[in-house]
Amino acid sequence: MVRRRFSFGLVSRLSSPIYGRSPCSGGIWTPCLGQKRSFMTAKDLVESEEPEKKVTNRINMFSAINQALHTVLDSDPKSYVFGEDVGFGGVFRCTTALRDKFGRHRVFNTPLCEQAIVGFGIGLASMGNRAIAEIQFADYIFPALDQIVNEAAKYRYRSGNLFNCGGLTVRAPYGAVGHGGHYHSQSPEAFFCHVPGIKVVIPRSPSQAKGLLLASIRDPNPVVFFEPKWLYRLAVEEVPVDDYTLPLSSAEVMRKGSDITLVGWGAQLAIMEEACDEVSKLGISCELIDLRTLIPWDKELVEDSVNKTGRLLVSHEAPVTGGFGAEIAASITNSCFLRLQAPVSRVCGLDTPFPLVFEPFYMPTKNKVSMIQHSKHTNCRISFQSMCG
């Protein structure tokens, strides 16, 4: 079977700022018949809190992730990190120096077999350990789909909560990078959002990555944690040195506004923030929300925002058809229908394999987002004026 490998020279350039990108409660899964998906809170099992303003270091995202892994390995002797090439630091250097400090029995390389990596993690977690599995690129998580969907996600449910693999966290770099092509640029988060029993988490920045990863590892449910590879080196900010967690399933309002609500996650939020700045020159006030956790997502916060603004735009890198933006659009249309002043819009990737030289045309850019925002706002004002004579 022919498999892929990046040269280290190419990997070292994966987070270069091409095309002008700028940085910018845990619970136990319980089946609930006849109702919406439900996570029962378990504050005794995972503590979630916003980071206090303490001692910080200015670091990039891969360093913040390395700090989080170091914190877990140092504080929990039953935690393990494993995956392809993690022993020497991984292709993105997220596991640098971990094996030297914690030993080969806790940080170790695996064969090039994603199904085996996740399957091993499920067994390790089911015995009460913290299993932190790395998939080298999210594009290659699909061989492990059966293990995640049919084993990890259903383990607690099928045993009536007698046993579980809640200690499993699957890390995977995802998304565009400027020159990754169709095998190193995909955004597969929507595949996993269709699966009850797992959580899907995506950070937007170094401080978010550290807090959300620590919360994911300590959460009593299996978590798929996607890391925007474009931001590994590009996103730099002050990150608390101490151990802290950020709440899962709790979205964050990054920017308050009154005319339109924008919802996104991961690296796309930097693009959306630029678009908000652009249309603010035209007098359009945007409320920008980082979803942070896609499943289960913070529907209430988004509803409150849309009820205030009357408009919603969702943007993500994944193809538009079947993307998670469609779920948000359908849900908000159903719950906020009488308050919407315009149809929900989606600005997403195209329904094509991820291109190489045509990546700039595929991506949901600042101009695409700005154009839709301005169009929705202008059309609504014209429609309202015509109705009022």
Side-chain angles (χ1 to χ4, degrees):
M1 179 173 61
V2 178
R3 295 301 299 270
R4 76 290 171 198
R5 283 296 180 198
F6 267 8
S7 69
F8 293 121
L10 181 57
V11 169
S12 67
R13 300 194 299 272
L14 280 175
S15 295
S16 58
I18 301 173
Y19 310 135
R21 279 187 178 250
S22 65
C24 70
S25 317
I28 297 176
W29 173 265
T30 57
C32 195
L33 298 178
Q35 299 181 23
K36 295 183 294 183
R37 296 182 182 187
S38 171
F39 279 83
M40 184 173 65
T41 59
K43 293 183 178 179
D44 56 322
L45 296 176
V46 56
E47 187 72 21
S48 296
E49 57 183 17
E50 297 291 339
E52 299 177 6
K53 290 187 177 180
K54 297 181 179 179
V55 179
T56 63
N57 282 336
R58 187 170 178 80
I59 57 176
N60 57 25
M61 182 177 283
F62 89 80
S63 298
I65 291 169
N66 182 269
Q67 277 190 11
L69 296 174
H70 185 283
T71 297
V72 171
L73 289 166
D74 192 46
S75 61
D76 186 355
K78 298 182 72 176
S79 59
Y80 302 86
V81 174
F82 50 92
E84 297 165 17
D85 302 322
V86 301
F88 73 85
V91 295
F92 294 108
R93 319 310 297 165
C94 292
T95 56
T96 298
L98 294 181
R99 185 173 66 179
D100 293 340
K101 179 167 185 178
F102 298 103
R104 294 175 178 268
H105 66 293
R106 296 186 63 198
V107 181
F108 49 88
N109 295 334
T110 64
L112 200 157
C113 180
E114 288 78 8
Q115 185 175 17
I117 294 171
V118 176
F120 173 79
I122 292 171
L124 192 63
S126 69
M127 299 304 293
N129 301 291
R130 296 290 179 192
I132 308 164
E134 177 180 305
I135 303 298
Q136 199 167 83
F137 289 89
D139 309 66
Y140 296 101
I141 201 171
F142 298 113
L145 197 64
D146 177 63
Q147 290 294 318
I148 296 173
V149 172
N150 283 328
E151 302 300 336
K154 298 175 175 59
Y155 211 44
R156 189 193 304 275
Y157 178 86
R158 69 175 183 164
S159 72
N161 202 28
L162 292 176
F163 49 86
N164 68 83
C165 60
L168 173 66
T169 302
V170 180
R171 295 178 43 246
Y174 89 102
V177 73
H179 48 261
H182 49 285
Y183 284 141
H184 297 86
S185 306
Q186 296 175 84
S187 299
E189 65 269 18
F191 287 92
F192 301 94
C193 292
H194 192 64
V195 183
I198 61 173
K199 294 186 177 183
V200 178
V201 180
I202 305 179
R204 72 172 186 267
S205 68
S207 64
Q208 293 283 315
K210 181 177 178 179
L212 290 172
L213 180 56
L214 285 169
S216 297
I217 293 171
R218 292 163 178 168
D219 192 89
N221 301 279
V223 178
V224 179
F225 191 88
F226 288 111
E227 301 163 4
K229 69 172 81 75
W230 199 309
L231 302 184
Y232 272 139
R233 290 171 176 78
L234 184 61
V236 180
E237 66 178 358
E238 295 291 332
V239 177
V241 174
D242 294 336
D243 185 349
Y244 68 93
T245 60
L246 294 173
L248 302 185
S249 301
S250 177
E252 180 183 6
V253 178
M254 297 174 56
R255 178 188 189 122
K256 290 188 177 295
S258 57
D259 292 329
I260 184 172
T261 299
L262 282 76
V263 175
W265 50 86
Q268 187 60 19
L269 286 161
I271 299 299
M272 299 173 75
E273 196 160 25
E274 291 177 358
C276 291
D277 291 335
E278 189 71 20
V279 299
S280 67
K281 301 173 185 176
L282 304 173
I284 301 175
S285 175
C286 303
E287 183 146 299
L288 180 59
I289 296 176
D290 177 9
L291 213 53
R292 301 202 291 193
T293 304
L294 273 62
I295 289 294
W297 62 291
D298 192 350
K299 181 180 177 182
E300 289 75 17
L301 186 142
V302 178
E303 285 179 350
D304 290 344
S305 177
V306 174
N307 281 329
K308 176 180 68 174
T309 65
R311 303 177 183 90
L312 173 63
L313 184 151
V314 186
S315 184
H316 54 70
E317 290 182 14
V320 62
T321 300
F324 192 65
E327 170 61 27
I328 298 173
S331 181
I332 295 302
T333 298
N334 183 63
S335 58
C336 303
F337 182 75
L338 296 179
R339 301 301 296 270
L340 285 171
Q341 300 180 38
V344 177
S345 293
R346 291 177 289 158
V347 182
C348 309
L350 304 180
D351 287 333
T352 69
F354 201 102
L356 182 59
V357 295
F358 294 121
E359 180 173 316
F361 301 99
Y362 171 93
M363 294 293 291
T365 61
K366 176 190 72 173
N367 290 337
K368 291 179 182 179
V369 176
S370 301
M371 180 180 66
I372 295 297
Q373 289 183 83
H374 183 249
S375 172
K376 288 174 72 69
H377 192 261
T378 303
N379 289 342
C380 285
R381 284 188 296 179
I382 293 173
S383 175
F384 181 74
Q385 290 169 0
S386 65
M387 286 182 355
C388 295

